[in-house]
Amino acid sequence: MATQDNDAAFDRIMESVGDDGPFQKRYNLIFNVIGVMFFAMTVVNILVILTVPEHNCLVPGNEQHNVSGIERWKNLTLPRALNSRGELSFSSCTMYNISKYPTETSTSEWRFEENDTIPCIYGYEYDRQYFDLIPITEENWVCDKELHATNIFAFIRFAEVSGTFVLGQLGDRIGRLPVYLISIGAATFGRAMAVLAAPHYWLFAALAFVGSFASNTGFQSPLIVAMEISKDENRAALSLWQLFGWTVGVCVTPLILWWNRNWIWFMLITSVPCLLFYCFPRYSIESPRWLASQGRYQACIRQLKKIAKVNGMRFNLTVEELKERIPQKEIEKTFGIASLFSGWHMTKLTTLLLICWICNTIPTFTLFLMSMQMGGNPFLNLFWQGAVELPAYFCGQVLCDRIGRRLTNSGAYLGSAVFCIPVVLIIHQSGNEQYVTVFAVIVKFFVCVTYFALYLQSFEVYPTSLRQTGTSFGIIISNVFGALGPYIVYLGTNFDIRLPFVAMGLIGMAGFLTSIYLPETLYQKLPDTLEEGRRFGKDQTFWSLPRKPKDLCTEMQYKLSQYEAITESQTE
């Protein structure tokens, strides 16, 4: 195909300027490890500060009634109710109407009925052991305003969907570098300005939307550039390095708030450093491969010379020579998202993949938010939720290459469902916070394995001409349904804390039953054309297992087709 010839020609040009030299290593370290680490902080920080701590009504007057001891005063003025853990505790949002009795009346004469309760008219008292100055405690986003934080979480998910749709396409039109700069600018502006907007809820929500609009492209743009300037065998490692940066950022973020305790400084510390990545002009390059595909040969040569200079190579190619070496692309005619549903078999594959994406995204977001509500130290809970991601991705890679994508994905969904069961059984029992945390981390481990396998399956099931479209469509649809995650958490924090894990268990079973019907892609020649995509996996039997090609030529052909397909999907 002309497309493959085009890629091969550009690969040879990249070899002449160095495709595995100091430039690539420094670019990857700056933008895909350190840059991603800081950008991950901007993604996570707003989720951390919207945690709702334990609270109850503030009732003044204990000194006037000569009542010593906070606990005794609470027993007199606050009704008892079952909390989300099934424990009898002080009511979070109601108090007894003590104005029923004159000030001179002895508290021993107080007798309150169930209908003698009123809302918290004097404000609230918060458990400040872990959370001190955050918007929830400063603006009292509890009780009658308890959906404020939940709605913002939903706005964030819709922002990510909108940003992925708009900026994802914009990256192919105006370039990867401008979209990256827009992404870090929007994230920094939205998060930093939020510190001034908490008293104005809708302004705060709008800034949360702005700060999350470019969340996905902030990671995708530098990774695509790195892949487009590196040799084939290094491209899988680039994704793992970026996942390492993400994991470090997610783990460090809650620890910063635990240390600082002031949400204003916390937001600035975890947002403003992103602006540093405007300050690397020597390495902030546009993808030369993308520039060449757009016919911008002069700009392409400038970027190639930048790479060659750092790598210690000489590059003297002229515009005319570059045009001769890169043949014109022949693009298969497709109809975007509509082509994903062309024919019964491809419609079935697309539907199965969409359900799998939804079954992965909802638990991912739900677990993150639930980690702050499961008891114990919420910052350490979140730390372990983040720390488990990297070993899960490594495990996913090993399993996908050993037992296949289908068994890895379906088995991980089943594992996530099974390990929700002990959480449901023990979370209502006091003293089990550590066990709950351990089981929740194991569930997160399996969810991360499904993400790795599913991402790989999405690349390999769709044909070359639809690979980027199909994968992006799955992520967009799953993020729309991911907005349900905050409301699942709301059910857990306000009604019964077991409900989110019941929901995640059922979702895991749905993912298991769906993913088991996807075709195996390990050792399969990846589809190049739309017609091949319509037939892919049709001849596989349900109980078939992946078989490594016996013939060396067949195996090399498989590996070559796999690399070409994945490279094509990243460079388009």
Side-chain angles (χ1 to χ4, degrees):
M1 290 178 66
T3 298
Q4 295 174 358
D5 294 341
N6 189 57
D7 285 339
F10 205 93
D11 285 341
R12 290 192 292 272
I13 293 173
M14 284 306 307
E15 288 175 7
S16 68
V17 300
D19 57 4
D20 188 25
F23 186 94
Q24 282 80 2
K25 292 178 173 63
R26 293 170 192 172
Y27 182 93
N28 193 44
L29 178 64
I30 294 169
F31 295 103
N32 279 318
V33 180
I34 300 175
V36 163
M37 180 187 72
F38 282 111
F39 199 79
M41 292 182 184
T42 68
V43 173
V44 173
N45 58 14
I46 195 165
L47 306 179
V48 178
I49 64 169
L50 294 179
T51 302
V52 181
E54 295 290 331
H55 57 89
N56 53 257
C57 294
L58 172 65
V59 185
N62 58 318
E63 294 180 356
Q64 295 177 4
H65 292 279
N66 296 318
V67 177
S68 59
I70 296 176
E71 197 69 17
R72 185 183 171 201
W73 181 245
K74 285 183 176 181
N75 281 321
L76 288 169
T77 59
L78 299 178
R80 295 266 184 170
L82 290 176
N83 62 18
S84 62
R85 295 176 173 276
E87 301 168 339
L88 192 63
S89 62
F90 294 116
S91 172
S92 298
C93 298
T94 59
M95 56 179 280
Y96 286 126
N97 184 11
I98 62 174
S99 62
K100 176 180 177 180
Y101 295 97
T103 306
E104 61 272 10
T105 305
S106 172
T107 56
S108 61
E109 299 178 20
W110 288 4
R111 298 290 185 273
F112 295 105
E113 304 295 334
E114 288 186 6
N115 58 357
D116 289 334
T117 59
I118 58 175
C120 302
I121 59 176
Y122 301 110
Y124 302 89
E125 286 184 319
Y126 296 94
D127 181 355
R128 297 182 183 269
Q129 179 182 3
Y130 296 112
F131 296 98
D132 192 3
L133 299 176
I134 57 175
I136 303 293
T137 60
E138 295 294 286
E139 304 301 327
N140 293 324
W141 290 351
V142 293
C143 297
D144 59 326
K145 298 179 180 178
E146 61 190 358
L147 280 174
H148 276 26
T150 303
N151 290 335
I152 289 176
F153 292 143
F155 295 155
I156 288 171
R157 300 307 289 182
F158 286 122
E160 291 174 357
V161 171
S162 306
T164 302
F165 181 77
V166 174
L167 295 179
Q169 296 183 83
L170 204 60
D172 287 333
R173 292 181 177 273
I174 66 172
R176 287 76 163 100
L177 180 59
V179 167
Y180 178 68
L181 298 178
I182 291 171
S183 299
I184 59 177
T188 304
F189 175 81
R191 297 296 189 255
M193 294 303 294
V195 302
L196 305 174
H200 312 285
Y201 174 70
W202 289 109
L203 178 59
F204 186 91
L207 288 169
F209 186 95
V210 171
S212 300
F213 186 76
S215 292
N216 289 326
T217 50
F219 299 112
Q220 291 173 354
S221 297
L223 180 61
I224 290 173
V225 171
M227 287 186 169
E228 291 176 340
I229 63 173
S230 301
K231 61 182 181 180
D232 286 350
E233 51 266 40
N234 289 349
R235 289 171 181 170
L238 293 175
S239 295
L240 288 176
W241 275 112
Q242 190 178 82
L243 290 172
F244 174 77
W246 162 263
T247 301
V248 172
V250 170
C251 292
V252 168
T253 303
L255 302 183
I256 294 175
L257 183 60
W258 190 14
W259 162 72
N260 183 262
R261 298 184 67 85
N262 186 314
W263 80 280
I264 294 177
W265 284 109
F266 166 73
M267 293 294 284
L268 295 176
I269 290 170
T270 55
S271 301
V272 175
C274 281
L275 297 178
L276 293 173
F277 296 92
Y278 281 104
C279 305
F280 295 93
R282 190 177 186 184
Y283 297 98
S284 296
I285 66 164
E286 181 55 84
S287 167
R289 191 183 297 262
W290 176 83
L291 289 169
S293 72
Q294 300 297 305
R296 297 170 57 182
Y297 296 106
Q298 190 64 54
C300 175
I301 288 175
R302 285 199 299 269
Q303 303 305 313
L304 290 170
K305 286 182 176 179
K306 269 182 156 183
I307 297 172
K309 184 177 181 181
V310 175
N311 287 339
M313 308 288 283
R314 297 187 64 182
F315 180 75
N316 298 314
L317 210 62
T318 65
V319 170
E320 289 72 21
E321 291 170 333
L322 186 60
K323 287 181 180 179
E324 291 175 3
R325 292 197 182 189
I326 302 178
Q328 194 69 31
K329 275 192 174 185
E330 292 180 9
I331 302 175
E332 182 181 29
K333 186 177 181 180
T334 59
F335 300 95
I337 292 174
S339 295
L340 300 175
F341 299 92
S342 59
W344 161 248
H345 185 66
M346 184 167 285
T347 299
K348 183 185 77 170
L349 295 181
T350 299
T351 303
L352 291 174
L353 285 169
L354 289 178
I355 296 173
C356 286
W357 274 115
I358 293 167
C359 291
N360 174 269
T361 301
I362 294 178
T364 298
F365 199 34
T366 302
L367 279 169
F368 185 93
L369 299 179
M370 278 300 298
S371 65
M372 311 298 283
Q373 310 288 345
M374 291 186 301
N377 188 322
F379 301 112
L380 291 181
N381 290 346
L382 188 55
F383 173 85
W384 291 117
Q385 285 276 333
V388 76
E389 291 191 13
L390 198 60
Y393 295 135
F394 277 114
C395 180
Q397 183 183 29
V398 172
L399 290 174
C400 282
D401 289 340
R402 295 287 178 87
I403 66 173
R405 284 65 157 136
R406 186 172 71 113
L407 288 179
T408 299
N409 197 12
S410 58
Y413 273 121
L414 182 61
S416 69
V418 168
F419 276 94
C420 283
I421 297 173
V423 179
V424 173
L425 296 177
I426 69 174
I427 198 169
H428 267 195
Q429 302 169 18
S430 61
N432 285 335
E433 289 84 1
Q434 290 184 339
Y435 299 109
V436 170
T437 299
V438 169
F439 285 123
V441 168
I442 294 174
V443 173
K444 178 65 178 294
F445 178 89
F446 282 114
V447 170
C448 289
V449 172
T450 66
Y451 175 82
F452 187 93
L454 182 58
Y455 199 72
L456 201 56
Q457 284 179 304
S458 295
F459 270 125
E460 295 175 339
V461 165
Y462 289 119
T464 300
S465 55
L466 291 173
R467 193 160 288 122
Q468 186 74 37
T469 300
T471 305
S472 298
F473 184 57
I475 294 173
I476 289 171
I477 295 299
S478 66
N479 277 334
V480 171
F481 283 88
L484 295 174
Y487 297 99
I488 294 175
V489 175
Y490 172 79
L491 292 176
T493 55
N494 289 274
F495 296 98
D496 192 325
I497 201 168
R498 295 175 297 184
L499 292 177
F501 289 95
V502 172
M504 286 188 288
L506 295 174
I507 290 171
M509 285 303 301
F512 165 71
L513 294 173
T514 302
S515 60
I516 200 69
Y517 288 100
L518 284 169
E520 178 56 68
T521 57
L522 181 62
Y523 303 133
Q524 302 296 314
K525 180 185 179 300
L526 303 188
D528 288 320
T529 66
L530 188 58
E531 184 57 36
E532 289 179 5
R534 294 191 185 109
R535 298 194 306 266
F536 184 77
K538 266 190 172 182
D539 56 345
Q540 291 186 18
T541 60
F542 182 79
W543 299 107
S544 63
L545 294 174
R547 284 182 155 186
K548 190 173 184 179
K550 294 181 181 179
D551 182 41
L552 180 62
C553 293
T554 305
E555 183 177 2
M556 291 300 293
Q557 184 181 12
Y558 156 74
K559 289 183 177 179
L560 180 60
S561 69
Q562 185 181 48
Y563 275 129
E564 288 175 344
I566 293 177
T567 302
E568 181 74 20
S569 67
Q570 295 289 354
T571 55
E572 287 183 349

